[in-house]
Amino acid sequence: MRDHRVNPVDAVWLNMDGPQNLMVIESLMFLDGPVDRTRLEHVIRTRLLELFPVFSRRPLPGRGKWGRPRWRDVGQLDLSQHIREVRLPAPGDDAALQDYVGRFLATPLPRDRPLWDIHLIEGLAEGSAIYVRLHHALADGIALTQVLFSLTDLSPEGDRDGSFHPDGRHHLLSEVVQAARRVAPEVPQLLRPARVRAGFRTGVRLGFSGVGVLKKLLFTRNPESPVSGVAGPEKRAVWSEPMQLQRVKDIAAHADATVNDVLVSALAGALARYQVEHGGRAVDLATMIPVNLRPLNVPLPRELGNRFALVLLSLPSGPGAPLARLAETKRRMDVIKASPEPAITFTLIQAIGWLGNRLNRPLVTFFAGKVAGVTTNVPGPREPRYLAGTRISGLLGWVPGSGQQALGTCIITYAGTVRIGFKTDTAVIADPERILAAFHAEIETLEAAFVAAAS
């Protein structure tokens, strides 16, 4: 069996599993019916295992105190170790599925096999679900989202009719990473040496901006609030029913904002409501947002790895009216878009990776302590897709938190709908359904405000 060195950045996430937060990316697909396991296994072998070798490798610890961990090929992979079939007890509603997912959010992936699992879940009141767990060491969440969508097709027979071609898969999936450009559209250019050498003015501007970014990363603090505290091992997951994306687009059009601005503003407002409901004072809360650094016009490489940055966004969750909060959200997002912050945080992550295991954890924990959690806002495919012949009706996915972070937020658009989901630490946030209700209330308030202004 061959061994392969683990990239230093990937090694950071491989070694960061802890009792409070595991480095596992969670994904959930809702389907209109059951999935044919034989067809699914064929898709997994041809589109996952053959194209991305890391899914057929298990981790090995480094040799000695400073040795870097390794990947080892497992040869003929036994899919029965990675795919489990379960049936939920009646009534098979969202609460039952949320309980099932919650039981695994603190369960480590076994280290004696490749670091991924798929759960085929039946017994739902409507259709079925697929719950996927992927370790962050395999790749970043944006790349793994693309990998998961590469298992799907535009037609029910797409896995059988020969229409799939690995070199063209990125054309169907580039929508998945467009959110990165809405947050930081200049990231790829900033990372090119030619851009940094473009002239004295550009260099000075980036230099001053870089100082400001470093101050932000070093001195931002996570204030005491009902969503901060000492995290424990138990987690919960809740999510909304899908709502029509057009509702959000209408609000964005009225406010001269983006869909992303509206959704992030609604999250900020929901956290403001939650803080007040729980006897706290509404204060701004910071969150980390992952940003893609891969070019969109080329396929994913066979060796995936982690190539992403993080930006720190202070959510305007302090006192204020919803319309003012939306305007402030847009302003803060626009500042980030013009900032070199993603380039700086990417360099920082690389540096941490090269420092070795003894320094990885304290440094990551230090920066993780600056924020309440991680927020992903991913635009999924605009058209319905099929997995092994079964139509996908909805999607969710969460990236892991670190340190004492207690709130993971997933906002995803798919086929004209939006879903929001929260993954929370029960020791800090025992009732995440209240944040969910507050998010929908904030959307409704924004709608009502624009209707009133127009009348």
Side-chain angles (χ1 to χ4, degrees):
M1 298 293 179
R2 286 187 57 197
D3 285 2
H4 310 263
R5 296 184 71 188
V6 177
N7 178 288
V9 175
D10 300 342
V12 171
W13 308 116
L14 185 61
N15 295 322
M16 275 298 295
D17 281 332
Q20 295 92 357
N21 279 301
L22 298 174
M23 295 297 105
V24 177
I25 294 167
E26 322 274 348
S27 180
L28 197 61
M29 291 185 183
F30 302 90
L31 301 111
D32 284 347
V35 172
D36 184 315
R37 177 162 179 161
T38 301
R39 287 179 70 172
L40 178 64
E41 289 190 2
H42 175 73
V43 169
I44 290 172
R45 290 194 183 280
T46 56
R47 301 190 189 182
L48 190 72
L49 305 182
E50 291 182 8
L51 297 180
F52 304 108
V54 74
F55 288 92
S56 298
R57 296 170 181 166
R58 65 183 180 93
L60 294 177
R63 299 184 179 96
K65 291 183 178 179
W66 303 102
R68 195 186 305 170
R70 295 160 288 142
W71 296 118
R72 174 165 291 178
D73 293 329
V74 298
Q76 187 64 31
L77 186 139
D78 182 1
L79 284 181
S80 67
Q81 292 186 331
H82 295 271
I83 301 176
R84 67 176 73 190
E85 297 183 64
V86 298
R87 176 171 290 275
L88 296 184
D93 54 9
D94 264 4
L97 183 56
Q98 289 167 3
D99 286 345
Y100 180 83
V101 170
R103 294 202 299 270
F104 290 91
L105 294 176
T107 303
L109 289 164
R111 293 288 177 119
D112 62 348
R113 66 196 69 169
L115 297 176
W116 59 275
D117 274 339
I118 294 178
H119 302 222
L120 307 182
I121 306 172
E122 295 189 3
L124 299 181
E126 296 182 8
S128 67
I130 291 186
Y131 173 43
V132 183
R133 308 186 72 222
L134 308 162
H135 201 281
H136 203 332
L138 302 176
D140 56 77
I142 299 169
L144 290 175
T145 299
Q146 293 182 75
V147 169
L148 288 178
F149 280 126
S150 73
L151 305 180
T152 71
D153 298 282
L154 284 167
S155 69
E157 296 300 316
D159 60 314
R160 290 174 163 174
D161 62 13
S163 60
F164 175 82
H165 192 279
D167 291 337
R169 63 186 182 275
H170 61 287
H171 295 302
L172 298 175
L173 307 170
S174 62
E175 302 168 38
V176 176
V177 291
Q178 289 294 343
R181 284 188 171 172
R182 290 205 289 271
V183 175
E186 296 298 309
V187 169
Q189 289 78 12
L190 285 168
L191 292 175
R192 294 174 190 160
R195 173 63 181 270
V196 180
R197 298 193 298 266
F200 178 75
R201 291 181 180 177
T202 300
V204 170
R205 178 177 64 82
L206 291 176
F208 280 117
S209 297
V211 171
V213 169
L214 288 174
K215 287 176 63 178
K216 174 184 175 183
L217 293 174
L218 289 172
F219 297 112
T220 294
R221 67 182 186 88
N222 185 24
E224 291 188 11
S225 75
V227 297
S228 65
V230 179
E234 295 185 7
K235 312 295 177 185
R236 284 193 63 195
V238 299
W239 52 80
S240 70
E241 292 293 323
M243 68 176 178
Q244 291 301 308
L245 178 59
Q246 190 59 49
R247 293 176 61 190
V248 182
K249 288 182 175 180
D250 290 343
I251 296 171
H254 283 301
D256 192 26
T258 67
V259 166
N260 198 45
D261 293 336
V262 174
L263 294 170
V264 173
S265 176
L267 172 63
L271 293 176
R273 292 170 185 249
Y274 184 83
Q275 292 178 79
V276 173
E277 281 183 5
H278 288 72
R281 179 174 62 90
V283 296
D284 287 5
L285 299 171
T287 187
M288 286 287 190
I289 300 177
V291 178
N292 177 58
L293 296 182
R294 289 182 173 86
L296 299 179
N297 59 345
V298 297
L300 285 171
R302 284 176 57 81
E303 301 295 338
L304 289 167
N306 283 271
R307 186 172 175 80
F308 74 107
L310 291 163
V311 295
L312 190 156
L313 172 66
S314 180
L315 295 166
S317 297
L323 293 183
R325 180 176 290 112
L326 175 53
E328 178 61 13
T329 299
K330 174 178 169 55
R331 187 193 70 79
R332 295 183 187 186
M333 296 289 282
D334 288 346
V335 168
I336 290 177
K337 292 174 186 178
S339 164
E341 183 174 344
I344 291 171
T345 61
F346 176 64
T347 302
L348 184 63
I349 293 170
Q350 285 185 310
I352 291 173
W354 282 104
L355 290 176
N357 298 348
R358 292 177 178 268
L359 295 176
N360 287 167
R361 186 177 296 273
L363 285 171
V364 171
T365 300
F366 170 76
F367 287 107
K370 304 290 182 181
V371 301
V374 183
T375 299
T376 57
N377 185 350
V378 180
R382 297 176 184 176
E383 302 295 329
R385 299 191 69 85
Y386 296 81
L387 178 65
T390 304
R391 184 181 182 275
I392 300 169
S393 59
L395 302 163
L396 283 169
W398 297 272
V399 297
S402 302
Q404 301 297 326
Q405 292 173 357
L407 177 66
T409 304
C410 161
I411 305 171
I412 188 163
T413 60
Y414 169 70
T417 64
V418 180
R419 276 186 192 259
I420 182 166
F422 296 105
K423 181 176 73 173
T424 65
D425 185 278
T426 58
V428 180
I429 304 171
D431 53 351
E433 62 276 355
R434 297 304 307 155
I435 306 178
L436 193 63
F439 179 89
H440 286 288
E442 194 74 8
I443 292 288
E444 291 170 1
T445 301
L446 285 169
E447 284 181 315
F450 284 116
V451 169
S455 60

